[in-house]
Amino acid sequence: MSKINLYIMMLFLVIAGNSTAQQTPAPAQSQPITIVGATAHVGNGKVIKNSLIIIENGKITELIEANLTKRQYPGKVINAEGKHVYPGFIAPNTTLGLVEIAAVKATDDEDEMGEILPNIRSLIAYNAESKIVESMRPNGVLLGQIVPRGGMVSGTSSIVQFDAWNWEDAAVKVDDGLHINWPDSFKRGRWWRGEDPGLKPNKEYEEDIQKLSDFFAASKAYLNGSRELKNLPYLAMEEVFKGSKKVYVHVDGEKEILDLIEFKIRLELKNIVIVGGYDALDAAKELKANNIPVLVNRPHSTPNNAYEDYDKPYKLAKLLHDEGVLVGLESSGQMERMNTRNLPFYAGTVAAFGMDKEDALKLITSNNAKILGIDKNYGTLEEGKSATLFISEGDALDMRTNILSHAFIDGREISLETHQTELWKRYSNKYKAQESK
């Protein structure tokens, strides 16, 4: 076989193996939907047993106790007695839809060349037909913040819902925030350059902060000037200075967090959010005083330092909450796109280590909605808000009982089938078939 024919055959196999497309997005809601009898977890700490939820035109129009009313229910009626209803879970700081296969460069669109790129927009690179994105829905993760990576200023994120034809249909909040990777005051030597791999002070730390300060100052000067020559990075900063675009700063150390707070005050930045915040508890008083929320990294990890409690990652969100800091959960890190589906179980782990279960639920619903600025329509089950919710057979924060029977995004009943559920159904009877022979 010639090399050309071999390449053609390999290409055919690749195309055939990936021919199954995403589930077709659900059509707009065409009739009222009434959910009766479920325990409704509102997402703000409140629980309504034996609830009645009515959905019309994509909105929740009624949410009360079912035993308070005796009338004919409108439209399609779902008997959810013994089940639980939750607002759709929200995943901040994710690269879902930007990378499909990490080892295949053509499917990796999470980073751009350059250090300071506020004008880079993640939304236009978002792949709404990603097979990884559709695998979020069976666990109740229905919305996410799509974030670029790399550089000192990575670019601008947007918030999407996970049932759409394309990025235009998916968009919930466009260009919601700017993402900055704050420099580390300590760093390890680069062994590939012959440097000592041990941890040592970063001699370039102050220089890097000054570089960031200079960029903010230059942007402000440009925006206050004639703007005679178009400068896309500077123009992208306009909404930041107005306060309508949040600044998400990816930072972990206590010194770095305190330096960031000083940076915020000096530059009069209005909406700062810390992403990661591993040592945020050491600066909790300053964070609360400056009204800075924290998106804590997933708790399923080990401590960074040998002298720390083994369960520090598990209880960090609770401890910050106890200090009065607004806290949400995010899931970045190793295999982050796949692991984002575990978002409800991260909240369940926080609950297992001392946080009230409904407060832990808030970490991935109302708190995340507030931090991302979409709480007007999402994050809780309330009359007038988007009917983005799901029905679970049991506790949605427990992987054993988080079994969805129905899910809705803006009132549209979405498919819970994915390529993974199809494979599960295909192979679940494999050994039964062999035994029958």
Side-chain angles (χ1 to χ4, degrees), residues 133-207:
V133 168
E134 73 174 15
S135 72
M136 301 297 112
R137 302 189 308 230
N139 278 2
V141 182
L142 305 183
L143 300 113
Q145 181 194 41
I146 310 305
V147 177
R149 298 282 191 248
M152 182 178 289
V153 179
S154 303
T156 299
S157 61
S158 289
I159 300 164
V160 300
Q161 50 86 3
F162 292 151
D163 185 63
W165 289 103
N166 48 48
W167 63 263
E168 293 97 330
D169 293 340
V172 168
K173 188 173 183 180
V174 175
D175 299 339
D176 74 293
L178 181 74
H179 288 259
I180 294 175
N181 295 303
W182 194 264
D184 293 321
S185 59
F186 281 78
K187 68 177 183 179
R188 297 188 182 278
R190 295 163 290 190
W191 58 265
W192 60 92
R193 291 191 178 183
E195 299 174 355
D196 180 2
L199 194 65
K200 62 193 69 177
N202 179 11
K203 297 178 181 179
E204 300 172 353
Y205 178 66
E206 298 296 338
E207 180 182 330

Side-chain angles (χ1 to χ4, degrees), residues 200-349:
K200 62 193 69 177
N202 179 11
K203 297 178 181 179
E204 300 172 353
Y205 178 66
E206 298 296 338
E207 180 182 330
D208 289 340
I209 294 179
Q210 187 59 50
K211 186 187 300 183
L212 196 59
S213 297
D214 290 345
F215 172 72
F216 271 74
S219 299
K220 185 173 287 189
Y222 171 85
L223 294 169
N224 291 333
S226 64
R227 310 189 190 189
E228 186 175 347
L229 296 176
K230 181 173 287 189
N231 187 301
L232 295 179
Y234 292 164
L235 287 170
M237 297 294 291
E238 186 165 17
E239 300 306 315
V240 170
F241 293 123
K242 288 180 179 179
S244 56
K245 181 187 288 186
K246 297 194 177 187
V247 179
Y248 296 86
V249 184
H250 301 243
V251 59
D252 284 313
E254 178 188 5
K255 172 177 170 51
E256 289 84 347
I257 290 172
L258 294 175
D259 288 343
L260 167 63
I261 293 173
E262 188 277 328
F263 181 86
K264 171 190 182 297
I265 295 171
R266 176 162 50 85
L267 294 177
E268 299 179 339
L269 299 178
K270 298 176 182 178
N271 290 317
I272 293 283
V273 177
I274 285 179
V275 181
Y278 184 81
D279 291 326
L281 188 61
D282 297 324
K285 291 181 180 178
E286 291 82 1
L287 292 172
K288 181 182 178 182
N290 287 277
N291 195 30
I292 299 177
V294 180
L295 290 171
V296 174
N297 191 225
R298 63 192 188 206
H300 291 183
S301 59
T302 55
N304 288 352
N305 303 296
Y307 57 82
E308 293 174 327
D309 293 346
Y310 79 93
D311 56 358
K312 177 180 177 178
Y314 306 152
K315 61 187 182 182
L316 178 58
K318 177 191 182 300
L319 295 175
L320 284 170
H321 169 78
D322 291 346
E323 292 291 331
V325 178
L326 178 60
V327 185
L329 280 183
E330 56 101 4
S331 57
S332 64
Q334 189 176 26
M335 300 179 72
E336 66 179 60
R337 287 167 293 281
M338 179 199 75
N339 280 314
T340 300
R341 78 189 70 168
N342 292 325
L343 188 66
F345 313 137
Y346 298 151
T349 296

Side-chain angles (χ1 to χ4, degrees), residues 7-18:
Y7 290 150
I8 292 174
M9 181 175 290
M10 290 175 65
L11 179 62
F12 172 78
L13 290 173
V14 169
I15 294 172
N18 290 278

